[in-house]
């Protein structure tokens, strides 16, 4: 009887040990956004959490700075290197300044990825949208409202964020090639702040009384610009386009302050970042070869000058479809 109890207890101990072993994630991914505490990255995290729940052998750590400054991201990477996560994926606020600390991570045997904001050192980049497609869509949406001539201003987050600088370059190239009657008279930074964008927009309207169009880049910046236009009584008189989330822009779309808001599916971008990291660890990311990305299906990376990347399609919100989205 005693021997049977010993065998039973031993079996229970083995079973418990197996359960603990099976529950422990085999890999760790650290995802660093540009900053935390804004609704856009809250939406991204919805997709990150969903992917993490679908991949129980991957522990996902979400850690971002409260200010959109690259030095704060550098501090975070330095913090996580000693714990040796398998992958660090960063949405860089500066593609160059962050490289030395990413080199330290690689030297410690950690895989390095970029997402959202690219870096000059990475094994894979989960882009938002194709830069040229996005720039073209911005200009086309602006022309629909203001026509093919007039003064235009651009509000950006910073001049260093790689997605912003690439979008501006794409906007300029399409505008100069197809709508030379549009003249960019000013480009100003507003950080990632609706209040600063509101202030910058008011100043742009005062200093450029002939302004006919405004492009506001950065999810918090478009609603700030929309509020400034509406309060100035210029809604519908100064064309406004940009990128932001449907929940932030719904009232402005409904009231006609803005006609089109461009973005991508933000939760899907977080989701894709996690699945890309998981496939990187499995050795399944190769240019020209599809990989499985959960509910997004098969996606095919393309090679670029640094390594390879993948992106989502451009998503357009209007007053007619905005209620179909909730993020």
């Amino acid at each position: 009887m005693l021997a049977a109890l010993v065998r039973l207890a031993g079996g229970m101990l083995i079973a418990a040990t197996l359960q603990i072993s099976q529950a422990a994630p085999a890999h760790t991914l650290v995802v660093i956004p540009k900053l935390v505490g804004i609704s856009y990255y809250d939406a991204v995290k919805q997709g990150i959490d969903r992917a993490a729940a679908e991949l129980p052998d991957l522990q996902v750590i979400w850690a971002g700075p409260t200010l959109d400054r690259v030095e704060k991201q550098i501090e975070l990477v330095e913090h996580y290197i000693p714990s040796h996560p398998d992958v660090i994926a960063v949405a860089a606020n500066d593609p160059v300044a962050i490289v030395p600390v990413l080199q330290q991570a690689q030297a410690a045997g950690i895989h390095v990825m970029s997402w959202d904001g690219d870096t000059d050192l990475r094994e894979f980049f989960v882009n938002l949208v194709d830069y040229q497609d996005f720039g073209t869509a911005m200009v086309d949406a602006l022309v629909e409202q203001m026509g093919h001539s007039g003064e235009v201003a651009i509000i950006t987050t910073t001049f260093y964020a790689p997605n912003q600088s690439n979008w501006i370059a794409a906007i300029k190239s399409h505008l100069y090639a197809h709508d030379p009657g549009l003249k960019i008279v000013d480009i100003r930074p507003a950080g990632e702040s609706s209040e600063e964008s509101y202030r910058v927009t008011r100043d742009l309207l005062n200093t450029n009384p002939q302004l006919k169009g405004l492009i506001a880049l950065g999810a918090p910046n478009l609603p700030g610009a929309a509020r400034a236009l509406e309060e100035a009584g210029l809604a519908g008189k100064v064309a406004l386009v940009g990128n932001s989330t449907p929940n932030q822009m719904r009232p402005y779309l409904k009231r006609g302050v803005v006609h089109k808001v461009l973005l991508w599916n933000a939760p899907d971008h977080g989701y894709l970042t996690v699945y890309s990291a998981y496939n990187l660890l499995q050795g399944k990311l190769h240019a020209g070869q599809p990989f499985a990305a959960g509910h997004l299906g098969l996606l095919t990376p393309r090679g670029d000058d640094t390594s390879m990347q993948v992106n989502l399609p451009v998503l357009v919100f209007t007053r007619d479809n905005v209620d179909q989205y909730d993020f």
Side-chain angles (χ1 to χ4, degrees), residues 28-296:
T28 301
L29 161 66
V30 176
V31 182
I32 301 176
K34 290 183 177 179
L35 77 165
V36 294
I38 63 172
S39 58
Y40 172 74
Y41 283 114
D42 291 343
V44 171
K45 192 171 183 298
Q46 293 175 20
I48 286 175
D49 291 344
R50 177 177 176 178
E54 294 173 2
L55 300 168
D57 58 337
L58 180 67
Q59 179 188 15
V60 181
I61 298 171
W62 172 262
T66 55
L67 297 172
D68 55 336
R69 296 179 181 172
V70 69
E71 58 266 26
K72 298 299 182 181
Q73 294 181 310
I74 291 170
E75 290 173 4
L76 280 169
V77 176
E78 289 174 338
H79 171 77
Y80 281 104
I81 286 175
S83 63
H84 294 284
D86 296 279
V87 185
I88 292 177
V90 61
N93 284 310
D94 185 311
V96 178
I98 203 166
V99 166
V101 76
L102 296 181
Q103 290 174 329
Q104 293 176 33
Q106 283 191 330
I110 300 167
H111 292 283
V112 169
M113 281 176 45
S114 61
W115 67 283
D116 189 333
D118 199 7
T119 64
D120 287 357
L121 176 75
R122 38 82 167 172
E123 296 171 62
F124 195 75
F125 175 35
V126 186
N127 203 347
L128 299 165
V129 287
D130 179 83
Y131 295 133
Q132 195 60 48
D133 288 349
F134 205 58
T136 296
M138 284 281 183
V139 176
D140 290 347
L142 196 67
V143 168
E144 285 180 18
Q145 297 178 64
M146 64 172 285
H148 295 273
S149 63
E151 294 184 355
V152 177
I154 299 175
I155 296 174
T156 184
T157 56
T158 73
F159 294 115
Y160 307 105
N163 53 338
Q164 303 280 312
S165 59
N166 279 289
W167 291 342
I168 291 172
I171 288 168
K172 287 180 175 179
S173 67
H174 185 75
L175 185 149
Y176 296 152
H178 299 278
D179 290 286
L182 299 182
K183 181 183 178 182
I184 298 175
V185 295
D186 207 344
I187 303 176
R188 297 194 192 181
E192 298 266 3
S193 168
S194 292
E195 287 303 316
E196 182 63 10
S197 178
Y198 170 82
R199 188 197 66 76
V200 168
T201 301
R202 286 175 61 91
D203 192 53
L204 283 169
L205 295 173
N206 289 331
T207 56
N208 300 277
Q210 302 302 314
L211 196 68
K212 288 183 63 178
L214 180 62
I215 298 174
L217 303 175
N221 294 342
L222 184 57
R227 180 163 67 94
L229 282 185
E230 191 169 37
E231 289 184 4
L234 294 174
K237 298 176 183 178
V238 174
L240 174 65
V241 299
N243 64 288
S244 192
T245 61
N247 289 351
Q248 290 185 92
M249 294 308 298
R250 182 174 288 105
Y252 298 109
L253 284 164
K254 297 289 188 179
R255 294 197 295 268
V257 180
V258 60
H259 295 175
K260 286 186 176 180
V261 175
L262 279 63
L263 199 68
W264 45 89
N265 189 303
D268 280 355
H269 191 237
Y271 184 91
L272 178 57
T273 297
V274 174
Y275 265 91
S276 296
Y278 186 76
N279 277 274
L280 177 65
L281 288 171
Q282 307 300 317
K284 295 180 179 179
L285 293 183
H286 305 283
Q289 296 183 21
F291 69 94
H295 75 84
L296 297 177

